[in-house]
Structure formats: structure tokens, C-alpha cells
Amino acid sequence: MYLKNEIVVPSRNRLNPRGDVRHEDSTVSSSVQSCALIEGSTGCLTGHIATMTPKHCFLGFLISFLLTGVVETQSAHESLMPQRVHFQSRNFHNILHWQPGRACTSNSSIYFVQYKMYGQRQWKNKEDCWGILESFCDLTNETSDIQEPYYGRVRTISAGIRSGWTMTQRFTPWWETKIDPPVMNITQVNGSLLVILHAPGLPYRDQKGKNVSIENYYELVYRVFIINNSIGKEQKVYEGAHRVVEIGVLAPHTAYCVVAETYQPMLDKRSRRSEEKCVELP
């Protein structure tokens, strides 16, 4: 409950308009409220003069400090959390990328990476990415079972404050990796062009130490295009699974360029085009 009190102002000397000293006692009535602990809560109405016992003052300060500290700490943790944590995958090279948190304005932040396969309860530390300054981490070896889904997550420490974890969406390499175009070699043979295609390289090796072909994982279709530079006309000359293609019936003394791409029928995905390889026929 709130108690109204009166404040008695001690007697003081005051000069009257004629300069004489006049002694008076004045009593000033004011709405004064004592802060009391009422049913487990403390408080005073704003705008009133308040008195508070030392015990109640300390209790109010402690509650305010703790609540403010918790809110500020939680805010700092959230603002430091890495942003846009995601996998980028090309030819099964699976790299985890992220951006600094909103509060990370310096290069002093360090990052910590963990990963796990879908269904596993325990997260695993990526030792090569534990306390790093970079904003990426190579998880190719840790995600080598390409038809299994994985998760990655990242946290940061900056100025002694540790953020929470930011996790990726579910990532399955077989579905999400991007395949490069084939590598081409071109040879002139009796007025024709012999195009030899090589499938993109992968980071895996078999038991004999040889590179594993991407054709072990996908059915690939190769598309080959030829461009007549004299008229600027492009024509598709081949689409199929063979990697050796002969292009004939070409005009002499003409410059041609060849480009190729890979296509995955099962996923309905195609690669970007290869760089042009150009030759001029005699």
C-alpha cells in the first residue's frame, strides 16, 4: 500500500519587503509515497517524490540490473550469429559458406564449424575449421556419402562474446551439386573436326588411386555446338553419351568455334557451357 506523509521544512529566516528579518516556520504538504514491497513486487508511481528503504532500493536495482544484463547479452549473442550459412557444391566439392553477423564489424571474429549426417544426434567438430578467420570451410571429405543428407553449423566468438549456432538447411550432394561442362580437345582430320570430351573431375579416388568419373553417379548426355564465325551461325551437331564426336562437311578456309555442355536427364539439369575452342580450316 502507498502511504501519504507530510514533509516539515525546518524554520528559516526570510527577509520581508522592508528588509527586516522575519522568522517563520512553514509546513509544506506534498504527496509523498513510500516504496514498499507489496505482494512480491516493488514500485512507485511516476512523478511523485519517493522514499525507499536501503533494502528495497538494493532489491529494485538488482532486479533491474539482472533483467537488463540478460536482455543485452541475448541481443549480443543474436547479433553475432553468422548469417546465410549454406553449402555451395560443384562436382561434389562441398564447401560451407557464411557471412559475419550483424554486430561483427572487425576482422577479429573467429569461427567454429560442426557437421553431422541427418539422423545423427551428435555434432562433430571440423578440426581444420575450429577457430578460423575465414568465412568458408571445406567439408568435402565429411560429406562424401553423396546420397545422404547433411547439416553444417557455425558459431563465432568476438570480443570475448560467444554467439549461438546458425545451421544450414538439409544438404544432399547428389541432388544439389552443380556439374561443370566437359573439357574439350579438338583435332583437325581430313577437313573434319574430331572433338574429344572429358567428364568433369571429382575429388574422389577408387581403391587403385584413380580418379572416379562422374559418370559413375549420373547418366550424362553431352551436347556439342559449332559456330561458323563467317556468318555467326550456331548449330547443334551432337547430343548423346559418346565422348568422341566427329564434325564433318565443313567449308574450307573458314573459322569455326566449338562449345559443349553436359545434361542430366534424371534431374533435368544442364551445366553452363564450356569455353569456346576455335580453329580455322585450311
Side-chain angles (χ1 to χ4, degrees):
M1 60 183 296
Y2 294 102
L3 303 176
K4 281 192 174 182
N5 299 322
E6 288 188 344
I7 296 177
V8 178
V9 181
S11 61
R12 57 182 181 271
N13 296 329
R14 176 179 297 176
L15 291 175
N16 61 23
R18 294 178 301 174
D20 299 331
V21 176
R22 184 175 61 187
H23 182 79
E24 67 177 15
D25 287 336
S26 62
T27 301
V28 180
S29 178
S30 173
S31 295
V32 180
Q33 296 176 334
S34 299
C35 280
L37 188 63
I38 304 174
E39 295 183 358
S41 62
T42 60
C44 297
L45 293 178
T46 305
H48 292 274
I49 302 173
T51 60
M52 183 182 289
T53 65
K55 177 180 178 181
H56 294 156
C57 285
F58 176 76
L59 181 58
F61 170 78
L62 181 60
I63 293 175
S64 175
F65 175 79
L66 290 176
L67 290 177
T68 304
V70 169
V71 171
E72 290 181 351
T73 302
Q74 289 177 344
S75 177
H77 286 184
E78 293 175 358
S79 61
L80 285 174
M81 290 176 65
Q83 306 291 307
R84 297 189 62 193
V85 181
H86 65 285
F87 281 95
Q88 291 184 6
S89 178
R90 186 172 297 278
N91 303 325
F92 298 130
H93 291 270
N94 306 323
I95 313 298
L96 188 67
H97 290 263
W98 61 89
Q99 293 181 356
R102 299 187 305 273
C104 294
T105 58
S106 67
N107 295 326
S108 61
S109 300
I110 57 176
Y111 300 97
F112 302 83
V113 175
Q114 292 183 331
Y115 65 94
K116 70 173 182 176
M117 185 183 292
Y118 174 74
Q120 293 178 339
R121 302 182 63 181
Q122 194 72 24
W123 288 90
K124 299 178 182 178
N125 297 343
K126 171 62 176 176
E127 298 300 334
D128 293 340
C129 303
W130 200 253
I132 61 174
L133 297 174
E134 295 82 6
S135 58
F136 63 90
C137 176
D138 190 344
L139 292 176
T140 298
N141 293 332
E142 289 73 19
T143 54
S144 59
D145 196 342
I146 63 170
Q147 292 187 331
E148 292 292 335
Y150 295 90
Y151 293 99
R153 67 179 187 178
V154 187
R155 85 180 336 168
T156 184
I157 294 180
S158 180
I161 300 177
R162 182 174 61 184
S163 78
W165 292 98
T166 305
M167 189 174 69
T168 65
Q169 295 181 345
R170 188 184 304 181
F171 166 72
T172 305
W174 190 86
W175 284 100
E176 300 181 47
T177 197
K178 295 182 178 179
I179 302 302
D180 280 343
V183 178
M184 292 189 305
N185 292 326
I186 299 178
T187 305
Q188 298 184 39
V189 179
N190 299 327
S192 298
L193 296 180
L194 190 65
V195 180
I196 301 175
L197 305 170
H198 301 275
L202 299 182
Y204 311 131
R205 296 181 181 273
D206 60 19
Q207 294 180 349
K208 296 181 180 179
K210 295 182 179 181
N211 288 333
V212 176
S213 172
I214 198 168
E215 293 176 334
N216 292 3
Y217 302 100
Y218 300 106
E219 174 192 355
L220 292 184
V221 171
Y222 298 99
R223 294 170 174 168
V224 180
F225 305 83
I226 191 167
I227 304 167
N228 186 329
N229 288 342
S230 62
I231 60 176
K233 181 180 179 181
E234 178 182 294
Q235 178 184 1
K236 183 168 69 174
V237 294
Y238 178 75
E239 181 170 347
H242 297 295
R243 289 188 283 113
V244 179
V245 180
E246 184 176 359
I247 306 174
V249 193
L250 300 175
H253 313 295
T254 304
Y256 291 95
C257 291
V258 179
V259 294
E261 67 183 23
T262 55
Y263 175 68
Q264 300 163 265
M266 183 176 295
L267 302 178
D268 192 24
K269 293 167 58 177
R270 68 178 184 179
S271 71
R272 58 182 174 84
R273 287 192 167 187
S274 65
E275 294 183 2
E276 293 182 354
K277 291 288 185 72
C278 300
V279 296
E280 185 170 355
L281 297 181

